[in-house]
Amino acid sequence: MTSILTEPPTLEPVTLAEAKQHLRVDTDAEDTLIADLIAAARRHVEATTGRALLAQGWRIVRETVPHSGIVRLEPQPVLSIDAVTVRASDGTASVLGAEDYVMDLVSSRLRLLPGGAGRWRADQVEIDITAGYGTVAGDVPAPLRQAVLMLVAHWHQHREAALVGPPDPVSLGVSSLVRPYRLARVA
């Protein structure tokens, strides 16, 4: 399964003003750097958890359609299914209607119904989704926002590639904040 970002989020889970307050920075001299650190920290938290923090578009591609017809969608949480396209081995594509699949938003699994994908002899499925906790920063769980702030502060203060020695408290703190949100990886 491959997940491809098709539409990045339009805002970050932490504003520049919130990050500057957290950093105790009063000038605008490092605004670009801090904004870049916020985006990098969000991407790190998303990659670590398998979750999208704010609404963003993704295309999930499965090279084979499972016999069960069930496709797990990542990143989570899924806000909406925007399109489901099946492709036959000859490359013929068919867009499925909402009556051809069932979406379980709680488990973030999509089930292709037997009368749907089988009717088109699907060898591949592409699912376009909108994933994220919502469209505003306040929709993101507070521990994940705090993890972003901690990473921004750490990276702002320590601009070298790595620290030498035992795990630092920031890494342990971020890990503790994101651990409950990590998706279990199923083979």
Side-chain angles (χ1 to χ4, degrees):
M1 180 175 79
T2 303
S3 297
I4 304 162
L5 180 66
T6 58
E7 186 177 331
T10 57
L11 56 102
E12 296 295 342
V14 173
T15 66
L16 179 62
E18 289 170 321
K20 287 173 68 171
Q21 181 180 10
H22 184 76
L23 295 170
R24 296 184 180 117
V25 171
D26 295 329
T27 68
D28 297 338
E30 295 187 310
D31 283 4
T32 301
L33 170 67
I34 295 168
D36 290 344
L37 291 174
I38 293 168
R42 174 194 38 88
R43 287 190 299 273
H44 177 81
V45 169
E46 288 176 337
T48 300
T49 62
R51 296 178 183 274
L53 299 187
L54 287 162
Q56 49 197 269
W58 286 85
R59 174 167 290 154
I60 289 76
V61 179
R62 286 285 307 251
E63 293 302 323
T64 59
V65 176
H67 292 292
S68 65
I70 298 174
V71 179
R72 180 181 168 148
L73 305 177
E74 273 187 39
Q76 294 180 17
V78 176
L79 291 170
S80 66
I81 301 294
D82 304 321
V84 177
T85 305
V86 292
R87 293 185 189 279
S89 57
D90 65 1
T92 306
S94 300
V95 177
L96 300 184
E99 67 279 359
D100 294 323
Y101 60 86
V102 175
M103 178 61 201
D104 180 356
L105 289 175
V106 174
S107 68
S108 291
R109 285 174 168 69
L110 179 118
R111 178 187 291 274
L112 299 169
L113 298 176
R119 181 169 59 218
W120 292 284
R121 295 183 32 233
D123 292 318
Q124 180 186 47
V125 63
E126 296 175 2
I127 305 163
D128 292 341
I129 65 170
T130 300
Y133 285 100
T135 57
V136 296
D139 295 334
V140 178
L144 297 178
R145 289 173 36 94
Q146 185 61 39
V148 169
L149 283 171
M150 287 177 72
L151 285 169
V152 168
H154 181 69
W155 292 340
H156 185 262
Q157 184 176 0
H158 302 283
R159 298 182 189 197
E160 64 275 2
L163 295 174
V164 178
D168 63 283
V170 173
S171 295
L172 296 174
V174 169
S175 292
S176 295
L177 288 168
V178 302
R179 187 176 300 116
Y181 295 93
R182 280 191 166 158
L183 296 177
R185 304 288 184 214
V186 180

